[in-house]
Amino acid sequence: RAKAHQRSGHAYFTRDMGVEIRERVRMMHALRGAFESERLFLVYQPQVDMRTKQAVGAEALLRWKTEEGKFVPPDQFIPIAEYSGLIVDIGEWVLRSACFELVHLRSLGHTNFQMAINVSQAQFSHPLFMQTLHRALQDTQAPPGCIELEITESMAMKDPELLIKTLHQIKQLGIRISIDDFGTGFSSLSHLQKLNVDKLKIDRAFVNEIDSATGNGSIAKMVVQLGQSLEMAIIAEGVETQTQTDTLLSFGCHLAQGYLYAKPMTRNDLYPWLENQKNKV
Ligand code: C2E
Ligand code: MG
Ligand code: MG
Ligand code: MG
C-alpha cells in the first residue's frame, strides 16, 4: 500500500494534506487554549528617528509561549488565527492591551509615544470592527492621535470599497493608518492614492537589499520617493546595519524599526530602555 501511495501522485497528495490539516487543527486548539489561559502576550519593538536615535513609538507584536516553554513564531500562528477566525477575539485583545500600554507609557511621561498595532483582514472586515475600536478607545482612554493601525497591501486588493469606507471611519476617529510590508503585495499605485493612508513601511526585504550582494536599495529608494510624492510618512523595517541607516537617510527616510536599534521587548524591558535612550541625548 505504501508503494501505491508513492506511485499515485494523487493519493500521496491527499495523505499529505490530511497530515497538514490535522496539524492545523491541533495548532488551532492549542492556540485557543493559550489565548484562554493567557499565554499570549505582547512585546514592543521601538521605532526610532535615525537622526537622533530617539524612540518615537513602538510596534506591538504578539507572542505565544507554550506550556513547554517554547515560542511559536507569529508567522506560524497568525495565519492559523486568521484561518480559524480566532484572530477576531485575539486581535481585540491585542488592540486593548496595546492601548492600555500606551496610556501607561504616557503616565510615565512618554507623551508623544506612538503605538503601532497590526490588524488582520478578518478583523478589519468584521462588521463589529468599528464598534470594537470605539470601545477600546473609550475603555482605555487611549488618545487616537497616538495610535496607528498597520494593514497590509493584500487587504487593499480584496474588497476596495469596504476598505476605503472603513479607513475613512478610522481616520475620522483620529487614528492613523500605515501599510505594512510595503512593496510585497503588488497593489496598484492608483489604488494606493485612493486609500489615503498616512504611512508606508518599507518591507525588510528591500532594506536588506541595500547592502546585500545582489541589490543596491533601488526599490527602497523608490518607495521613499513614492511616499514623498503622495505626502505619506515612511518607515524602514528590519534595519540591521549602519550602512542601511546611512543609505536610508540619504534617500530621505528618517524613521526605522530594526535590530540595529532594538529588538522587540516585553513591557518590563521597554521602560528602562526608553529611559536609557532619553539619557543618551
Ligand atoms: P510585521 O508586522 O511586518 O512585523 C515586523 C516583523 O519583523 C516582526 O516579526 C519583527 O520582530 C521583525 N523584525 C523587526 N526588525 C527586524 C530586524 O532587524 N531583523 C529581522 N530579521 N527581523 C526584524 P514577528 O514579531 O515575528 O512578527 C511577524 C509577523 O506576524 C508580523 O510582521 C505581523 O505580520 C504578524 N503579527 C505579529 N503580531 C501580530 C498581531 O498582534 N496581529 C496581527 N494581525 N499580526 C501580527
Ligand atoms: Mg507590522
Ligand atoms: Mg512588516
Ligand atoms: Mg511581516
Side-chain angles (χ1 to χ4, degrees):
R1 277 195 65 193
K3 259 197 184 135
H5 272 304
Q6 271 164 17
R7 242 194 327 252
S8 147
H10 180 71
Y12 186 73
F13 183 61
T14 315
R15 190 190 58 182
D16 235 34
M17 250 174 35
V19 171
E20 202 185 286
I21 289 170
R22 240 174 297 148
E23 172 59 16
R24 250 200 253 180
V25 169
R26 190 196 64 77
M27 244 174 90
M28 188 187 98
H29 286 302
L31 179 60
R32 179 179 292 135
F35 179 53
E36 282 165 1
S37 52
E38 299 177 23
R39 265 178 278 117
L40 299 185
F41 62 99
L42 289 178
V43 288
Y44 302 89
Q45 185 176 31
Q47 301 183 331
V48 303
D49 187 323
M50 291 184 279
R51 293 167 297 187
T52 59
K53 295 191 165 50
Q54 292 300 295
V56 295
E59 177 177 11
L61 293 160
L62 195 56
R63 292 291 177 266
W64 172 11
K65 192 177 179 183
T66 66
E67 273 169 315
E68 296 79 41
K70 275 199 289 200
F71 286 97
V72 186
D75 287 333
Q76 265 174 42
F77 73 79
I78 296 283
I80 286 168
E82 285 170 341
Y83 175 83
S84 62
L86 271 173
I87 195 68
V88 173
D89 287 343
I90 294 177
E92 176 172 4
W93 175 83
V94 167
L95 188 66
R96 296 174 70 89
S97 305
C99 283
F100 271 119
E101 204 53 57
L102 175 63
V103 170
H104 186 222
L105 282 161
R106 289 170 69 80
S107 77
L108 295 176
H110 301 283
T111 45
N112 291 317
F113 201 85
Q114 306 288 312
M115 187 65 81
I117 305 166
N118 293 287
V119 179
S120 291
Q121 163 80 37
Q123 284 174 270
F124 215 79
S125 54
H126 194 280
L128 295 178
F129 181 68
M130 284 313 296
Q131 204 173 306
T132 301
L133 197 56
H134 269 293
R135 238 191 2 232
L137 292 177
Q138 242 168 31
D139 294 350
T140 62
Q141 290 296 304
C146 295
I147 297 171
E148 197 173 275
L149 298 184
E150 296 193 357
I151 64 170
T152 57
E153 271 180 284
S154 53
M155 283 165 65
M157 316 226 293
K158 275 192 189 121
D159 187 346
E161 296 307 310
L162 177 72
L163 183 69
I164 291 171
K165 200 175 130 223
T166 312
L167 289 184
H168 183 72
Q169 291 174 340
I170 291 172
K171 292 190 73 162
Q172 281 196 321
L173 289 175
I175 292 176
R176 279 163 302 106
I177 307 284
S178 66
I179 301 195
D180 208 349
D181 307 337
F182 188 76
T184 59
F186 314 106
S187 65
S188 77
L189 295 181
S190 65
H191 211 120
L192 182 65
Q193 200 165 21
K194 267 192 233 130
L195 292 181
N196 192 22
V197 298
D198 304 278
K199 197 188 223 171
L200 300 178
K201 291 190 87 172
I202 308 173
D203 190 72
R204 193 163 85 220
F206 305 126
V207 173
N208 237 295
E209 254 175 25
I210 289 172
D211 49 6
S212 75
T214 47
N216 55 11
S218 52
I219 295 180
K221 185 175 187 176
M222 197 197 71
V223 175
V224 176
Q225 286 168 347
L226 178 65
Q228 284 168 343
S229 62
L230 294 176
E231 294 181 329
M232 294 172 182
I234 316 285
I235 183 165
E237 256 189 318
V239 175
E240 292 183 351
T241 68
Q242 190 57 44
T243 307
Q244 289 166 3
T245 291
D246 296 339
T247 309
L248 287 161
L249 282 172
S250 78
F251 292 164
C253 171
H254 301 141
L255 298 176
Q257 187 183 333
Y259 294 172
L260 180 66
Y261 297 97
K263 290 202 170 175
M265 51 187 112
T266 62
R267 58 192 302 253
N268 288 335
D269 290 337
L270 181 65
Y271 305 134
W273 186 89
L274 287 171
E275 287 307 311
N276 192 32
Q277 214 56 12
K278 253 199 313 204
N279 297 334
K280 278 187 185 158
V281 189

